[in-house]
Amino acid sequence: MVPEITLLGASLALGVSSGLLAHEGTHALALHLSGIPYRVKILPHRDGHPIRWLARTPWAVVLPAPRPATPTWAIQLGALAPLLLAVPLFTLAALGHTPTATSPVQLSFALGWFACAIPSPQDFSVAFYADQALESVALDDAESGTGTHR
């Protein structure tokens, strides 16, 4: 029989891994629905020792490429979209089906998933300063004379 601590660790790792993919997926989905071009990078900036890059660098990144006419709210929505990952957990709670200490494997998965529902500090920065980012895109386009952001 597998020790319970191993199951808890595996469940937590699965919750964080799937939550991470869902977190970046919600960014991409919100940008796609808003009509903003974007790129997704999985495992960017990988150099050095594997333990170092697992702990210190993002595992995935969604890079929007807004145009000057992009509405600020669309960028803000894309940045805060991972909050939607908390909806299934709150729905389960409202229905009385929350994982508890009596089901620790399910609880560890839910905690891993819920941790990924919290927008990162970078996400909040994008949400709060989206207007400044769009102004810099407009300035870059004006300086290059192209009229489109590349």
Side-chain angles (χ1 to χ4, degrees), residues 10-147:
S11 177
L12 182 63
L14 183 61
V16 169
S17 299
S18 59
L20 172 73
L21 292 173
H23 178 106
E24 297 303 330
T26 58
H27 285 310
L29 180 64
L31 292 172
H32 178 75
L33 293 175
S34 299
I36 300 171
Y38 63 91
R39 289 180 318 163
V40 177
K41 284 187 167 184
I42 304 293
L43 301 176
H45 313 297
R46 299 294 179 208
D47 52 348
H49 193 274
I51 298 299
R52 193 174 314 128
W53 52 255
L54 274 175
R56 295 185 185 164
T57 59
W59 294 0
V61 178
V62 175
L63 302 167
R67 293 181 174 51
T70 301
T72 303
W73 64 264
I75 298 291
Q76 292 169 327
L77 179 69
L80 298 177
L83 288 169
L84 293 173
L85 296 177
V87 170
L89 297 175
F90 287 128
T91 302
L92 286 173
L95 297 173
H97 297 292
T98 54
T100 62
T102 58
S103 57
V105 173
Q106 291 89 351
L107 181 61
S108 65
F109 179 87
L111 288 174
W113 179 272
F114 191 65
C116 294
I118 302 168
S120 69
Q122 184 177 4
D123 295 340
F124 281 114
S125 178
V126 169
F128 293 137
Y129 299 107
D131 54 341
Q132 292 176 8
L134 290 174
E135 286 174 13
S136 70
V137 168
L139 287 175
D140 289 346
D141 285 350
E143 289 173 3
S144 68
T146 60

